[in-house]
Amino acid sequence: MPYTPKTNFPVLTKNIPTYPWGDPKDRHIVGYDEYVKNGGYVGLRKALTMSPGDVVTTVKDSQLRGRGGAGFPTGLKWTFLPQVEDINNPGARYLAINADESEPGTFKDRLLLDFDPHIMLEGIAICCYACRLTKAYVFIRGEYHHQAKVLENALKEAYDHGIFGSKGLMDGADTQTGAPFPVECYVHRGAGAYICGEETALLEAIEGKRGWPRIKPPFPAVQGLFGKPTIINNVETLAHLPSIVENGSDWFCAQGCESASGGPPSFGTKLMGVSGHVNNPGCFECDLGIPLSTLVNEYSGGMRNGKKFKSAIIGGASTGVVGPDDFDAPMDFDIGRDYNVLGLGTACPTVFDEDTDMVSVARNLANFYKHESCGQCTPCREGSGWLLQLLEKVESGDGKTKDLDLILEIATSMGAMPGTTICGLADGNNWAVRTIVNKFRDEFEARVAPTYVPVTMTVGAAANG
């Protein structure tokens, strides 16, 4: 059955010309005046007429799931914060925005930071009002030099027009609580480390420390940035808030898809960045649930040079790969369970054609994770090195079949899910490697020599002699 999208208009990219609604050649940086002219900050103005609790309820009812990779329900995360005694004087409470986007193959947040940063800033203001957060820090990756400058200019515009500042949101506008709510917002540039995409390592980096993940508990909602209650949200997650508050949760739930297996739904649109062996790589806004084949063939112009689809890293390197028979896999949050990958992740697939050497892909990914491991946990620090050594051995033709079994044994023994590491970097490493080895085992076996273990047996009198 042909795929029919539910959304016939752009939501996140309404100001960013993107196929099929616009020509990317017409893109430009959207300033404050243009953003407001196109309906910007209407969601924030409406939020200020609601009680903070009603805003949280609206986001919970929308069932918006985090767009940073894990897909955890956003409104539910907000409820983990401790209750405040005085709603107008909550004390120091923080919002940390993950704009690190260091996952290989991922460039969805960059689209918003490049051209329409005000949509995120409006989401930041809504989140701070709803959760009673007094300060927000946007942690942006060190390599995003241009994006940081665009964001800093947009933030200055927001301050100049009273969105943030000591007077209160919207230039000190009265809120449903009976008093203005002041919020300060800052841009914090990272130094360029993959591990800082992990939420507690991100907090450490903002505090000026080495970006090492923290042992949990305590969890950030209770004791986060500078030891105070903290919410951590992704750029794209926050960008959804203005339209959800403006149009309501039912409007949002009409987009995306239900779960085919009875689990939590995948509502809303999603930015999906397609790269690899396609004719027109780019970032597209699609309903969650769009088949991978539709994303490749209709949005990305099909496979490059007319070659066949072989595999795809489904949503950033850490999620693992789907095989040649999974081209029609729906891009929703059920994909992890249904197609034996870590999850949907960032929903930014890297596509491989029929000529791709999957052994080299696995070795390349292992090399990345070894380099980016912070070294704090022994299974990750040592295991990532062992995986790389074994895959280099296999790639060069010096391996044996027992090395493949050893690769899988090491991979399944490292990670937060087996309970051997503090954070999920090792999980990304092992899912990337083991999904490739398991789904393309024949390619690996063709590169190694069979392991031969001679077995001798003697019977009768000779056995005693």
Side-chain angles (χ1 to χ4, degrees):
M1 181 182 296
Y3 169 75
T4 303
K6 294 183 178 180
T7 305
N8 57 7
F9 55 89
V11 178
L12 298 176
T13 58
K14 65 180 181 179
N15 296 324
I16 309 173
T18 302
Y19 178 84
W21 296 291
D23 187 344
K25 295 179 181 178
D26 296 329
R27 289 175 180 173
H28 60 277
I29 297 174
V30 178
Y32 176 86
D33 291 337
E34 182 180 355
Y35 183 71
V36 171
K37 180 181 178 181
N38 293 337
Y41 291 109
V42 171
L44 174 58
R45 193 173 297 279
K46 180 179 178 181
L48 299 185
T49 67
M50 303 165 62
S51 71
D54 285 344
V55 178
V56 173
T57 298
T58 298
V59 176
K60 283 182 64 179
D61 291 345
S62 74
Q63 301 187 65
L64 169 66
R65 297 175 68 170
R67 286 356 191 197
F72 192 82
T74 302
L76 179 60
K77 176 188 279 191
W78 290 1
T79 64
F80 296 159
L81 284 166
Q83 295 294 317
V84 295
E85 295 182 5
D86 184 347
I87 197 167
N88 288 319
N89 296 286
R93 289 153 66 95
Y94 297 97
L95 172 63
I97 300 93
N98 188 344
D100 190 63
E101 196 164 53
S102 52
E103 183 75 11
T106 299
F107 48 94
K108 63 180 183 66
D109 294 337
R110 178 176 177 174
L111 182 69
L112 301 177
L113 296 170
D114 265 330
F115 301 108
D116 194 14
H118 279 284
I119 194 172
M120 179 192 69
L121 295 178
E122 184 177 2
I124 289 172
I126 292 172
C127 177
C128 287
Y129 173 77
C131 299
R132 316 317 283 166
L133 310 175
T134 55
K135 290 183 174 64
Y137 287 87
V138 183
F139 184 89
I140 188 167
R141 68 179 300 187
E143 295 87 347
Y144 275 6
H145 302 292
H146 171 73
Q147 291 74 21
K149 291 178 181 178
V150 172
L151 177 57
E152 287 167 349
N153 289 335
L155 185 57
K156 182 180 183 301
E157 287 183 320
Y159 266 94
D160 290 343
H161 289 85
I163 302 300
F164 300 104
S166 57
K167 288 183 179 181
L169 295 171
M170 299 294 289
D171 210 14
D174 284 336
T175 68
Q176 194 275 344
T177 64
F181 189 72
V183 174
E184 303 291 349
C185 185
Y186 308 94
V187 176
H188 184 102
R189 298 197 194 192
Y194 174 76
I195 194 64
C196 287
E198 196 278 336
E199 60 178 18
T200 58
L202 182 149
L203 298 181
E204 291 284 293
I206 293 177
E207 292 179 359
K209 304 171 186 174
R210 177 182 292 181
W212 272 13
R214 299 175 180 175
I215 296 175
K216 293 171 284 195
F219 292 95
V222 177
Q223 186 176 328
L225 193 59
F226 307 116
K228 301 297 182 179
T230 304
I231 288 294
I232 304 160
N233 282 145
N234 173 258
V235 170
E236 185 186 352
T237 306
L238 293 166
H240 270 293
L241 299 182
S243 59
I244 290 174
V245 172
E246 180 182 355
N247 300 299
S249 57
D250 290 343
W251 168 85
F252 185 79
C253 293
Q255 307 159 30
C257 65
E258 296 277 359
S259 170
S261 55
S266 299
F267 288 146
T269 63
K270 180 79 181 66
L271 295 177
M272 301 185 184
V274 185
S275 60
H277 301 153
V278 295
N279 285 315
N280 300 313
C283 188
F284 311 97
E285 184 178 2
C286 313
D287 279 284
L288 281 164
I290 184 174
L292 175 61
S293 57
T294 302
L295 187 59
V296 170
N297 290 331
E298 295 186 16
Y299 285 75
S300 306
M303 297 296 296
R304 193 175 62 189
N305 298 325
K307 295 186 178 180
K308 295 180 180 179
F309 170 84
K310 180 175 185 178
S311 179
I313 298 173
I314 207 62
S318 62
T319 57
V321 302
V322 294
D325 297 329
D326 302 328
F327 197 24
D328 292 324
M331 298 287 288
D332 61 23
F333 287 106
D334 284 342
I335 197 170
R337 176 175 58 251
D338 296 341
Y339 290 88
N340 193 29
V341 290
L342 182 57
L344 181 65
T346 59
C348 291
T350 303
V351 181
F352 303 124
D353 65 24
E354 57 190 312
D355 296 331
T356 304
D357 183 348
M358 299 306 294
V359 178
S360 295
V361 171
R363 187 267 309 151
N364 191 37
L365 292 174
N367 184 56
F368 170 80
Y369 285 107
K370 177 184 181 298
H371 181 269
E372 293 297 334
S373 172
C374 77
Q376 191 174 185
C377 305
T378 302
C380 180
R381 182 183 67 245
E382 302 299 326
S384 60
W386 293 344
L387 286 178
L388 177 59
Q389 289 179 25
L390 288 167
L391 287 166
E392 287 177 336
K393 187 178 178 182
V394 171
E395 185 181 31
S396 65
D398 297 326
K400 295 185 178 180
T401 51
K402 67 177 182 180
D403 293 324
L404 304 182
D405 297 328
L406 185 56
I407 288 171
L408 295 176
E409 180 181 348
I410 293 171
T412 52
S413 301
M414 53 188 281
M417 283 188 285
T420 60
T421 59
I422 294 172
C423 86
L425 185 143
D427 296 278
N429 191 354
N430 81 58
W431 276 88
V433 170
R434 67 175 168 165
T435 56
I436 296 174
V437 174
N438 283 327
K439 295 179 181 182
F440 296 93
R441 178 88 184 200
D442 56 337
E443 288 192 33
F444 285 81
E445 290 183 345
R447 300 281 277 272
V448 299
T451 301
Y452 175 66
V453 180
V455 177
T456 58
M457 180 180 297
T458 54
V459 297
N464 298 322

